[in-house]
Amino acid sequence: MKILFVYDEIRLDIPGFTGYYQEGLASLSACARQAGHETELLHLTRPIPREEFVAELERRSFDAIGFSSLTPTFPDVRRLVPFARERFPATPILYGVHPTLDPESSIQVPGVNGVCVGEGEEALVEVLDRMQTDRDWSDVRNFWVRRGEDVVRNPTRPLVTDLDSLPLPDIELFDFPNLFSSREKMAMLTASRGCPYKCTYCSNHAQQQQYPNKGDYVRFKSVDRTIAEARQRIHARADVEIRYLDFSDDILPLRRSWFSEFAERFPKEVGAPFQCNVLLSLLNDQSVRELKQAGCGLLVFGLESGSERMRDLMKRPPVTNQQIVHLAGLLHQHDLHIGTYNMVGLPTETTEEMLETIKLNATIHPNKMNVFFFQPYPNTDIHRMSVEMGLYHPSRDLYNNWRTGPVLDKGTVSPEQIIFLHRFFKPLVRAYRIGRRGTRAFDSTFDRILERVFFAHPSRMELCTRAWDRFHATAKFLYVKAVLPFWSRRKRELSDHLDVTNPQAPAWRRMVRRGRRFATLAWRHGPQFLRYATPRKIANLALAQWQMLTRATRVRGYPFEVIVDPNNYCNLRCPLCPTGQHVNERNYGEMPFSRYEKLLDELAPYLFKVRFYNWGEPLLHKSIHDMIAAAHRRRVSTEISSNLSHNWTTEDADKLIRSGLDRLIVSLDGASPETYRVYRVGGDFEKVTRNACLPTARRRSGSGRPRSRSSSS
């Protein structure tokens, strides 16, 4: 028996969208294949006309069709099912995911034979087994089945409590190399199912009511199983490079004992950075340290609204704005990036409350902000409230994504204001953040400006919104069509280097490559360049670049960047380093400060940067802070690369910051003590990680430097 899954995942807001991995379908396919059935996927990521859809079906062989979609794309499934029924009148057509929330409207779709209510692994296998042997399947639990004009509403079976008993998801069901997430070098997975909270806008509380064992709604896979799935995603295909994992669980660190074990084992056995969803009120200093230890690079939490009244209306877990600011600061202290989920256009929400959401984001400094229009999912508490208040008619279809527009009919705020605040949410966050640096009264002043310039003029807001939408659509199109198809940065830099230095390459190609390489450097080092640039330095740099381009045999001008080796000895014995292995025949020593100052006096008017590293460990030099300060006084950028595996104190960190160092590179070469010791012989991993936090910690006292990064082999 072969079933064709038709997954409707249309996203009109993302040009070139090729779809994301969906674990529910992968799990259904794995269970069906384990039972001896065959599966195939037709992944729809853009609107498809009738003729093309029918042609796609005709190119495939199958015995049953299983449509799958989330609630926003239900209208498109309702459009496509009759096309499939017309062309294949005898083929059973099933439908799942959205019917769990709204089975009544789903079973009424013309052409649908049955809809799956709840999790479908066991139910689908039972249906396929019966279809294969021509047995009646109208009494299979979890399915509502249409029989003529009648509908058989079967009860829902208990939830599968042991998620480890299910086979590993069938990721081969998807075109893995062409998934949108794979193109971003990211893979998605889950370690759990369900959420214990009853937020009125979320579908979890409505789904939980479908099952007889409601108390088992929240279930976790074992850490062994989670690690196995993470490895599966990373090594799924030899032609797909996965660098990052996205745990799509509602709350990954929900169970502390489970997460403590996960945090200890995951970096050792997988070692890939990841992002996950968290609940701020569950975080404390220990859980934040464990998130950092596990390799979490981005924590995303549902802020939803900056108004405590609105969060109470949504039955969010109780947390005040002051607590949110404190917990966000705790995450920043541990150098964890944070993201927020935000909604606008909620029932009874006012303009002032939407601005509170923007201002709270400006206060907590998230690295990523997701902004959505409110959409009332069927049979949720807030859906019933919206209908009772006359704000939403249940027959109205939702938009196919969360960024199109507001759906409430008679809200307290005009649609123009809601759309304006949605489109300009992120720019307004930045405006509040920057404005607060100048005056404490900025918020009230800026609020009055928004009211007088925009909110009082709907046509003006509409004009700005249209202009922003066109700009945003163009930028996204260029990103998807021009940026993503390019090689990775390393390959591009290698290609640039080969074309620039190859005398046989055409002159125009060398000029284009050099220009693109210069643009990349300008993007990375532009702010630093502007801080230290002078007319003389710029002229000298232009002269040097021109001589390199024309391959001049006589060099004019001065160096614009130099490497200064303060000393040629080191405290480690790295096996591939001549210094560490003591194979250099020269004597070990330090550069005298007087000689360094003489060099600096001659070159400083032309220099942009001094790199203090080459053969030795620069922080062992007794005058290194004075050398950095001397360059800083002469408006020259400084950079150090250090192993940091020595007795470094907070006083040393303070000296480094006061000296004016611009960049600190930490040579780590290992993500765990075991791998670190393989190469960094004589080093102490714990000492390095502790010392690496000192500049960051001291920098928070007010200095923006040094910026730090790690390097590895």
Side-chain angles (χ1 to χ4, degrees), residues 376-395:
Y377 290 145
N379 294 318
T380 58
D381 291 344
I382 207 165
H383 177 275
R384 284 187 285 271
M385 184 185 75
S386 300
V387 172
E388 291 170 1
M389 296 176 64
L391 301 176
Y392 178 76
H393 196 280
S395 63

Side-chain angles (χ1 to χ4, degrees), residues 551-571:
R551 298 196 295 275
T553 56
R554 183 181 178 184
V555 179
R556 302 176 185 273
Y558 290 82
F560 55 86
E561 183 176 305
V562 296
I563 296 175
V564 173
D565 214 352
N567 51 288
N568 64 343
Y569 55 84
C570 183
N571 55 321

Side-chain angles (χ1 to χ4, degrees), residues 567 569-571 590 616-624 643 646:
N567 51 288
Y569 55 84
C570 183
N571 55 321
E590 296 180 343
E617 166 54 43
L619 291 183
L620 297 179
H621 194 289
K622 60 180 180 293
S623 301
I624 187 63
N643 59 56
H646 39 76

Side-chain angles (χ1 to χ4, degrees), residues 562-567 591 596 600 609-614 616-619 623-624 626-632 636-642 661:
V562 296
I563 296 175
V564 173
D565 214 352
N567 51 288
M591 172 182 281
Y596 166 75
L600 206 57
K609 180 184 288 188
V610 176
R611 300 177 187 265
F612 291 102
Y613 57 89
N614 195 17
E617 166 54 43
L619 291 183
S623 301
I624 187 63
D626 297 330
M627 298 172 80
I628 297 170
H632 184 68
V636 179
S637 172
T638 52
E639 180 178 286
I640 274 187
S641 177
S642 170
L661 179 67

